[in-house]
Amino acid sequence: MDAVTRLPFLSDLEEGLTQEPHFPERPGHGRRRYRTIWISDIHLGTRGCNARMLIDFLDSVDSDTIYLVGDIIDGWRLKKRFYWPASHNDVVWRLMKRAKRGTRVVYIPGNHDEMFRQFTGLNFGGVEIRRKAIHDTADGRKLLVLHGDEFDTIMLAHRWLAFVGDAAHTLLMRLNVIVNAVRQRMDLPYWSLSKMAKHKVKNAVSFISRFEEVVAHQAGARGVDGVVCGHIHNAEIREIGGIQYYNDGDWVEGCTALVEHFDGRMEILHWADEIAARNMREQTRIAA
Ligand SMILES: [Mn+2]
């Protein structure tokens, strides 16, 4: 495929996949089994990605099907600056290995890895690349699976607010002091920059619930029972207007996955909590 070679990092990626993983894979027996696993917003190729935590997750669980719900590799950032540590390569290695061992792997590229959308319909080493998918649950429900950026145009007015977080708030509070020192010198009245920031953070919360409502509404119009997406880095299971809304979260901040049990029951796994609980159990075992 000629198009593949146009992406500078894919040749490095292919080379890395032929080698053994840097972090040895834990043996497959004793893994927790699920019917389906959904993960997204891994952002491989960025410093923010918690690849080591994801490696631990992938070595601890197994499933019949795994959906990669977009923003798996951050092509935007990789194009600007190549950052590809061994752990990031190991994540791809494990996903490819899974496909080879017979797990159905469905990859739905997001907006950060949109360069893979040109391969929609193709099979890449056992990985099916799709624009969206319909998942049939064990208890007979139909779920629409997509990344979620397709609703950005509807959300555009609120979009930037999602990036206003605590760090920005702290910075704005500091700026507030400077701004008002200047204003005072210019004989201008006090004006609260931090108050405005707080208002924006509140808007970020309303952005999330608005996104969830838009996605659920759009899914409902397509006649499915529910929808699974990622994109906004906020894991959630919620019912909105008779539609089940599922978001599998991310591996930058939350480190979460969405899973379907063999009876169709859905659950969000918080992997940092799982690791903490496991360490606690090991400590008590050693102490005993
Ligand atoms: Mn996204």
Side-chain angles (χ1 to χ4, degrees), residues 90-149:
D90 276 17
V91 168
V92 180
W93 187 91
R94 278 162 168 83
L95 293 170
M96 298 303 286
K97 199 81 181 173
R98 223 158 249 245
K100 227 173 263 173
R101 285 173 187 151
T103 303
R104 185 177 174 225
V105 182
V106 181
Y107 175 28
I108 298 166
N111 50 320
H112 285 262
D113 45 8
E114 63 189 349
M115 53 285 293
F116 289 99
R117 282 180 174 167
Q118 62 183 307
F119 306 119
T120 296
L122 295 183
N123 186 304
F124 199 76
V127 177
E128 296 168 41
I129 301 178
R130 304 277 294 271
R131 196 63 186 75
K132 55 178 182 285
I134 297 285
H135 175 77
D136 293 290
T137 63
D139 52 3
R141 293 171 299 130
K142 282 207 183 302
L143 305 179
L144 173 67
V145 186
L146 36 69
H147 178 63
D149 65 296

Side-chain angles (χ1 to χ4, degrees), residues 195-213:
K195 198 176 164 188
M196 191 189 82
K198 264 181 201 154
H199 172 72
K200 295 304 177 198
V201 173
K202 241 182 246 161
N203 277 348
V205 175
S206 82
F207 166 88
I208 289 169
S209 61
R210 170 112 179 88
F211 176 86
E212 293 170 347
E213 282 155 21

